[in-house]
């Protein structure tokens, strides 16, 4: 045995003493991805190039993933592994000898050497490997022997890995803890950590190629072994020096890096590097002749750049986003062109790229829904493969099991990081589009609140909107009310008669109020109600949109009283739209413009139109407007600029007004809803159109009505003039957007739920959006009355 071990040349995969200077034997190149683990290395391609010691994937195969599957990770030499195995077999004898000799040997400078390392040297001597500490491959032999000595439950061997071989710190400590090491201990860690990680990746986790390394969930694998001293995204570079370097690296770093590990500057830099790789090697749009770039102009013009850059999966830094929150692909492409060079690209094509970013239209199929549908389809396929228990044998949904699965949003991030937040949609909306048979409002469908993680999903205005829908649906499942489908909208409706009949049935069953309400909350996972953060009577107030519970006694039977009061206050019929509004990205300047508080209230109880004559009289007599004798209390528009606009039959505002359904605008509201006019504006029932999908107002028609409320109406109202600048800024910010409907829906979600729980009883405080809503209601109501009277 001694002769065999001494005559065998050790492996030289790691020739240096510290991992940054490691030199590799060129990694093996497998014959094909399918046989990467078993096939012998084939002849290298004629144009094969190496960079940083690794083959350049683009010189192996045109397909990036196949090329990386062909690059095998370097393995430990068979002789080195056998030597470590032989030494590990002598570990029990060496341990016994060390214990017998303890106290007899003089104290030396090796006092700080880990216990296992001392025993290892004795075991090497017993295995006929003398002077092991002087061998060139001492560190490799030490780390590998430690792995072989771990045999839990076997007498005389280790139950766990001796972590002190790397450093005196716990392996579960964060990477910043390494800064506390002395220079000598840090040098030892830098020398031994790559060997430890190489064995972990290749032998323990079974990763054989660069493609395996890219596709592995290194964060989960390393946490399963309790190792956190090196960030998971940095582990491949530490274990295999040079593997993530170069313009076409063997392992692409953006495939490994987690979003939370990136600062904004580093995220922007990584996205540009990934975009350069995509252009040169992913899409292969440019070649170089004599150092000058030559572009494929046709392919360049046809490329969907936003989709190409988003598919890289890199977190988009704020510096590379538009006001809408989406990726500014023109900025990314511009920086790539500065790096590569424009070459033969024609000036007119470059002009299109350098133009100012277009306004974002959230109905754009190519920009939003096509990309989102592809990602949602991929997520569904992954769940079918990894979570088969969520589905029945015939392909249906196993509802009771699936309703507890909370990883949908996380799976979207794994396929395309932050795609939901970038596009401003929920996981429910994305999945409902591709699989309406699983996600919807049916009893056996997964609802929006059943897809989201528990932490934080009920918080804020969006959480309250979610709770409102969930509570209404929970009441429906107990037999109260009915579900009505109005085109794309789903509404829970309940009348006084339905409530009376339902209460009688409940009384016959002799179920106590506590049992009923607790069962309702626990069955549907309504955590705020179970934790008493919100009472059931407060939830009824949330359904009704008004404070009904503040003065009720805290007794069990008052819930029925509260719900009956809600029905009576709504004219005997309560309607709740079951929806989880998606969060359309809103620019900060828009939010500031419409949320500006107005400290100046109206001069009258509500906004009124004022004639030119009355304004002039008040101005000339230096009196308040309401003191003028001709002050009108009706809603006629005579004497205001609105008359001229409506008398012009070619005015687009008149055409839009003719399409409106007048009843909701003219009848007194049955529900006290904040921003009611804006809700009517984006409602599917806003017009008298009956064709499916075309019943509501378009974004252009909405802007026409908003412009009508601004130009001829604002200055002819009793609003204090000092508030005009803030109101104009709010109008202008809204009118500057093309996605008016989606933007208003998002605004109303964030602001419209202000009458909630404790703050419902507060006095209404005007903000710009309140005034915009009231101006719109006044303009449309007055205009409709004028048009109807003229007919």
């Amino acid at each position: 045995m001694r002769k065999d071990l001494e005559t065998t040349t050790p492996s030289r995969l790691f020739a240096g003493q510290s991992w940054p200077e490691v030199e590799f034997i060129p990694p093996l190149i497998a014959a094909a991805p399918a046989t990467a683990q078993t096939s012998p290395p084939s002849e290298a391609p004629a144009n094969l190039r190496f960079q940083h010691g690794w083959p350049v994937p683009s010189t192996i195969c045109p397909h990036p993933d196949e090329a990386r599957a062909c690059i095998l990770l370097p393995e430990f030499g068979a002789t080195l592994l056998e030597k470590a195995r032989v030494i590990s077999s002598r570990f029990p004898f060496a341990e016994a000898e060390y214990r017998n000799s303890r106290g007899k040997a003089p104290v030396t400078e090796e006092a700080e050497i880990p216990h296992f390392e001392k025993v290892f040297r004795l075991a090497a001597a017993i295995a006929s490997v003398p002077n092991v500490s002087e061998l060139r491959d001492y560190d490799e032999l030490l780390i590998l022997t430690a792995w072989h000595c771990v045999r839990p439950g076997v007498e005389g061997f280790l139950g766990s890995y001796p972590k002190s071989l790397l450093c005196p710190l716990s392996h579960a400590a964060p990477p910043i803890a390494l800064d506390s090491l002395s220079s000598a201990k840090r040098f030892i860690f830098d020398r031994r950590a790559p060997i430890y990680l190489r064995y972990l990746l290749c032998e323990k986790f079974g990763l054989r190629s660069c493609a395996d390394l890219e596709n592995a969930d290194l964060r989960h694998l390393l946490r399963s072994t309790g190792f956190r001293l090196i960030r998971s995204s940095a582990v491949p570079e530490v274990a295999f020096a040079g593997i993530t370097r170069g313009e076409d690296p063997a392992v692409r770093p953006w495939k490994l890096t987690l979003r939370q590990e990136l600062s904004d500057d580093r995220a922007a830099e990584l996205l540009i590097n990934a975009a350069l790789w995509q252009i040169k090697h992913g899409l292969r749009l440019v070649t170089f002749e004599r150092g000058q770039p030559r572009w494929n102009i046709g392919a360049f013009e046809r490329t969907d750049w936003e989709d190409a850059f988003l598919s890289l999966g890199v977190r988009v830094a704020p510096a590379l986003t538009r006001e809408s929150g989406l990726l500014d692909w023109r900025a990314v492409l511009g920086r790539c062109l500065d790096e590569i060079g424009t070459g033969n690209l024609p000036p007119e094509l470059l002009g299109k790229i350098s133009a100012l970013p277009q306004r974002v239209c959230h109905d754009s199929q190519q920009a939003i829904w096509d990309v989102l549908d592809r990602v949602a389809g991929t997520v569904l396929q992954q769940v079918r493969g990894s979570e088969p228990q969520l589905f029945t044998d015939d392909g249906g949904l196993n509802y009771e099991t699936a309703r507890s699965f909370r990883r949908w949003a996380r799976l979207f991030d794994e396929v395309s990081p932050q795609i939901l937040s970038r596009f401003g949609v929920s996981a429910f909306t994305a999945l409902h589009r591709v699989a309406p048979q699983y996600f919807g409002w049916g009893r056996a469908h997964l609802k929006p609140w059943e897809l989201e993680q528990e932490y934080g999903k009920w918080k804020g205005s969006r959480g309250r909107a979610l709770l409102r829908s969930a509570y209404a649906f929970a009441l429906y499942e107990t037999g109260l009310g009915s579900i009505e489908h109005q085109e794309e909208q789903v509404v829970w409706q309940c009348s006084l008669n339905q409530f009376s009949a339902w209460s009688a049935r409940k009384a016959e069953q002799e179920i106590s109020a506590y049992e009923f309400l607790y069962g309702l909350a626990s069955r549907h996972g309504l955590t705020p109600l179970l934790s008493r953060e919100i009472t059931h009577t407060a939830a009824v107030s949330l359904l009704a949109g008004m404070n009904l519970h503040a003065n009720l006694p805290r007794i069990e039977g008052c819930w029925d009283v509260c719900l009956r009061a809600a029905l009576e206050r709504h004219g005997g019929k309560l309607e709740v739209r079951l929806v989880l509004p998606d969060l359309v990205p809103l620019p900060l300047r828009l939010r500031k413009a419409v949320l500006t508080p107005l400290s100046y209230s109206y001069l009258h109880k509500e906004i009124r139109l004022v004639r030119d004559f009355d304004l002039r009289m008040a101005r000339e007599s230096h009196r308040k407007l309401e003191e003028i004798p001709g002050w009108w209390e009706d809603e006629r528009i005579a004497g205001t600029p609105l008359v001229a606009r409506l008398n012009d039959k070619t005015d687009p505002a008149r055409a839009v007004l003719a399409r409106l359904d007048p009843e909701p605008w003219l009848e007194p509201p049955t529900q006290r809803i904040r921003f009611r006019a804006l809700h009517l504006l984006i409602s599917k029932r806003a017009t008298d159109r009956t064709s499916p999908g075309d019943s509501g107002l378009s974004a252009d028609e909405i802007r026409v009505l908003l412009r009508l409320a601004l130009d001829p109406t604002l200055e002819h109202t009793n609003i204090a003039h000092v508030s005009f600048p803030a109101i104009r800024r709010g109008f202008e910010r809204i009118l500057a957007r093309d996605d008016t409907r989606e933007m208003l829906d998002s605004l109303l979600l964030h602001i419209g739920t202000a009458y909630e729980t404790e703050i419902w009883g507060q006095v209404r405080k005007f903000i710009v959006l309140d005034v915009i809503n009231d101006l719109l209601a006044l303009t449309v109501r007055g205009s409709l009355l004028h048009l109807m009277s003229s007919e």
Side-chain angles (χ1 to χ4, degrees):
M1 172 65 71
R2 179 176 180 178
K3 182 178 180 181
D4 292 341
L5 292 177
E6 287 180 348
T7 56
T8 304
T9 304
S11 169
R12 296 193 58 196
L13 287 177
F14 287 84
Q17 294 299 309
S18 179
W19 65 262
E21 287 82 28
V22 169
E23 296 178 1
F24 288 109
I25 293 176
L28 300 178
I29 302 178
T35 58
Q37 298 185 19
T38 57
S39 297
S42 61
E43 288 190 12
N47 61 339
L48 178 63
R49 288 190 297 109
F50 283 78
Q51 193 174 26
H52 304 290
W54 292 86
V56 177
S58 58
T59 62
I60 299 174
C61 173
H63 193 279
D65 294 332
E66 291 181 4
R68 284 162 176 79
C70 292
I71 304 176
L72 301 184
L73 300 175
E75 300 177 352
F76 292 101
T79 303
L80 189 67
L81 289 172
E82 178 63 20
K83 189 183 295 186
R85 188 192 62 77
V86 171
I87 295 175
S88 68
S89 67
R90 306 297 192 268
F91 179 79
F93 308 105
E95 177 70 27
E97 182 176 334
Y98 177 77
R99 289 181 179 179
N100 292 332
S101 63
R102 210 169 30 176
K104 301 177 183 179
V107 178
T108 64
E109 59 183 9
E110 297 183 349
E112 293 188 2
I113 294 179
H115 172 79
F116 178 83
E117 192 168 348
K118 297 175 184 177
V119 177
F120 163 77
R121 294 179 180 181
L122 287 175
I126 295 174
S128 303
V129 186
N131 300 322
V132 69
S133 60
E134 299 177 5
L135 294 179
R136 186 183 184 93
D137 54 5
Y138 172 76
D139 288 316
E140 289 97 321
L141 203 54
L142 174 65
I143 299 299
L144 292 175
T145 301
W147 279 115
H148 284 82
C149 284
V150 178
R151 302 179 192 177
V154 179
E155 186 178 358
F157 288 91
L158 300 178
S160 60
Y161 192 85
K163 299 178 180 179
S164 58
L165 292 180
L166 301 186
C167 65
L169 300 172
S170 167
H171 282 195
I176 196 173
L178 292 174
D179 297 338
S180 63
L181 296 176
S182 64
S183 57
K185 286 182 169 46
R186 183 60 188 265
F187 178 74
I188 292 175
F189 178 82
D190 290 344
R191 201 174 66 230
R192 293 178 178 177
I195 308 164
Y196 174 87
L197 292 173
R198 280 182 57 214
Y199 187 88
L200 205 61
L201 296 173
C202 297
E203 304 298 330
K204 289 292 184 181
F205 301 154
L207 306 181
R208 293 291 178 260
S209 66
C210 291
D212 295 340
L213 205 54
E214 280 189 347
N215 297 326
D217 186 353
L218 294 180
R219 185 167 180 247
H220 173 72
L221 293 175
L222 291 169
R223 280 191 171 184
S224 66
T225 61
F227 187 88
R228 292 181 57 200
L229 285 171
I230 299 175
R231 294 196 314 272
S232 58
S233 59
V235 162
E237 180 62 33
V238 172
F240 307 103
I243 199 170
T244 62
R245 286 183 280 174
E247 70 173 26
D248 186 22
V251 171
R252 293 162 285 189
W254 52 90
K255 293 282 188 180
L256 308 171
T257 307
L258 301 173
R259 297 193 308 276
Q260 59 266 32
E261 295 177 355
L262 293 176
S263 64
D264 289 343
D265 293 339
R266 175 58 183 153
E269 178 187 354
L270 193 63
L271 178 57
I272 297 301
N273 291 337
L276 287 169
W277 175 89
Q278 181 78 301
I279 292 172
K280 294 179 180 178
H281 307 288
L283 300 175
R284 294 179 172 265
L285 297 178
V286 62
T287 57
F288 290 87
E289 298 178 1
R290 300 178 182 178
Q292 296 298 317
R294 184 166 185 81
W295 295 86
N296 184 335
I297 299 175
F300 184 96
E301 192 169 9
R302 292 190 301 270
T303 299
D304 179 4
W305 290 106
E306 188 166 26
D307 187 37
F309 295 149
L310 285 176
S311 65
L312 295 169
V314 185
R315 179 171 77 84
V316 182
L320 297 174
T321 57
R322 292 175 280 187
E323 278 191 352
S324 62
L326 300 182
L327 171 68
D328 187 356
W329 62 266
R330 287 182 172 84
V332 176
L333 184 56
R335 289 176 62 173
C336 291
L337 290 175
D338 292 340
E339 182 77 20
I340 299 173
T342 56
N344 59 322
L345 290 176
E348 59 271 14
L349 189 57
L350 293 173
K352 292 181 182 178
I353 296 168
S354 60
L356 291 175
Q358 301 294 317
R359 290 175 176 171
V360 182
C361 177
H362 288 272
D363 290 328
S364 170
Q365 291 296 118
Q366 184 61 33
I368 298 293
W369 298 118
D370 284 352
V371 176
L372 191 65
D373 288 348
R374 287 198 297 271
V375 174
T378 303
V379 168
L380 200 58
Q381 289 177 5
Q382 287 189 1
V383 172
R384 281 186 174 278
S386 61
E387 307 288 340
Q389 72 278 9
L390 302 185
F391 302 92
T392 59
D393 295 337
D394 59 356
L397 183 70
N398 188 345
Y399 175 69
E400 292 301 326
T401 304
R403 67 195 296 262
S404 61
F405 185 69
R406 293 289 186 271
R407 295 191 64 245
W408 296 102
R410 189 178 300 172
L411 287 171
F412 273 93
D413 278 344
E414 292 176 4
V415 175
S416 181
Q418 289 188 311
I419 187 171
L420 296 178
S421 56
R422 283 201 306 266
F423 287 169
V425 298
S426 62
F428 176 81
T429 297
L431 292 167
H432 174 69
R433 288 177 55 84
V434 298
Q437 69 274 22
Y438 301 145
F439 306 91
W441 297 103
R443 292 184 183 273
H445 287 166
L446 288 175
K447 270 72 73 176
W449 55 88
E450 294 173 339
L451 266 63
E452 302 203 8
Q453 299 180 20
E454 185 62 32
Y455 179 75
K457 74 176 177 180
W458 306 111
K459 300 296 183 182
S461 55
R462 184 173 183 268
R464 291 295 185 262
L466 184 63
L467 180 61
R468 187 170 187 250
S469 297
Y471 198 75
F473 192 85
L475 291 176
Y476 165 69
E477 288 223 318
T478 64
L480 179 59
S482 59
I483 296 290
E484 300 293 335
H485 292 266
Q486 301 168 357
E487 293 188 0
E488 298 177 1
Q489 295 182 357
V490 181
V491 178
W492 174 73
Q493 295 179 347
C494 180
S495 65
L496 268 173
N497 292 335
Q498 287 176 322
F499 176 70
S500 299
W502 176 81
S503 299
R505 292 195 303 270
K506 188 162 68 76
E508 293 175 358
Q509 297 172 358
E510 297 181 354
I511 300 175
S512 68
Y514 174 80
E515 290 177 349
F516 165 70
L517 295 177
Y518 180 78
L520 179 78
S522 59
R523 161 65 179 156
H524 296 275
L526 306 179
T527 311
L529 297 170
L530 294 172
S531 64
R532 300 300 181 103
E533 178 186 346
I534 293 178
T535 63
H536 281 270
T537 51
V540 174
S541 294
L542 188 63
L543 293 179
M546 61 183 70
N547 189 356
L548 300 169
H549 70 285
N551 300 321
L552 287 174
R554 293 181 177 272
I555 59 176
E556 294 180 355
C558 69
W559 182 84
D560 291 346
V561 177
C562 190
L563 186 54
R564 185 176 293 276
L567 291 166
E568 291 172 351
R569 293 285 293 273
H570 283 271
K573 187 175 183 180
L574 186 62
E575 289 188 357
V576 176
R577 189 173 67 154
L578 303 183
V579 67
L580 176 61
D582 289 322
L583 306 179
V584 176
L586 298 176
L588 181 61
R589 285 183 292 177
L590 172 65
R591 293 199 300 268
K592 287 182 176 179
V594 297
L595 292 176
T596 302
L598 292 178
S599 56
Y600 299 91
S601 60
Y602 304 148
L603 298 179
H604 221 58
K605 290 184 179 180
E606 59 179 314
I607 295 183
R608 295 287 186 180
L609 285 170
V610 182
R611 301 175 300 177
D612 288 325
F613 176 77
D614 295 322
L615 286 175
R616 190 167 62 251
M617 284 272 299
R619 196 180 303 117
E620 292 175 354
S621 60
H622 302 286
R623 287 188 290 178
K624 292 182 179 179
L625 188 61
E626 58 267 27
E627 296 175 0
I628 302 300
W631 173 253
W632 286 3
E633 294 294 341
D634 58 22
E635 296 176 338
R636 289 181 293 175
I637 64 173
T640 68
L642 274 174
V643 176
R645 291 285 302 270
L646 297 179
N647 289 339
D648 184 5
K649 294 184 178 181
T650 62
D651 194 299
R654 176 164 174 161
V656 176
L657 288 167
R659 299 189 187 104
L660 291 179
D661 182 6
E663 291 184 5
W665 297 93
L666 301 180
E667 293 180 353
T670 57
Q671 297 182 359
R672 294 177 56 189
I673 300 177
R674 196 181 188 190
F675 307 117
R676 180 175 181 272
L678 293 174
H679 278 292
L680 284 175
L681 201 62
I682 62 175
S683 171
K684 293 289 185 181
R685 295 179 290 174
T687 67
D688 54 7
R689 297 167 177 156
T690 57
S691 55
D694 193 32
S695 56
L697 292 171
S698 67
D700 291 334
E701 291 171 334
I702 291 174
R703 284 196 297 275
V704 167
L705 291 181
L706 289 172
R707 178 67 67 181
L708 186 68
L710 170 63
D711 294 337
T713 308
L714 177 59
E715 294 188 0
H716 283 73
T717 62
N718 56 331
I719 298 176
H721 282 245
V722 71
S723 300
F724 282 7
I727 297 171
R728 286 190 181 278
R729 281 195 300 271
F731 265 111
E732 289 168 358
R733 290 293 179 202
I734 294 175
L735 291 168
R737 296 284 296 249
D738 285 341
D739 55 335
T740 315
R741 175 186 295 279
E742 291 80 5
M743 178 200 59
L744 283 176
D745 200 2
S746 185
L747 280 174
L748 296 176
L749 166 69
H750 287 86
I751 309 165
T753 51
Y755 293 150
E756 292 177 2
T757 58
E758 289 79 9
I759 66 172
W760 269 333
Q762 294 184 1
V763 178
R764 177 179 179 181
K765 296 179 180 179
F766 289 109
I767 61 172
V768 171
L769 199 62
D770 278 311
V771 183
I772 292 175
N773 173 82
D774 293 353
L775 276 171
L776 176 69
L778 174 70
T779 304
V780 174
R781 188 170 61 243
S783 300
L784 289 175
L785 287 172
H786 178 79
L787 290 174
M788 293 171 69
S789 63
S790 62
E791 292 176 356

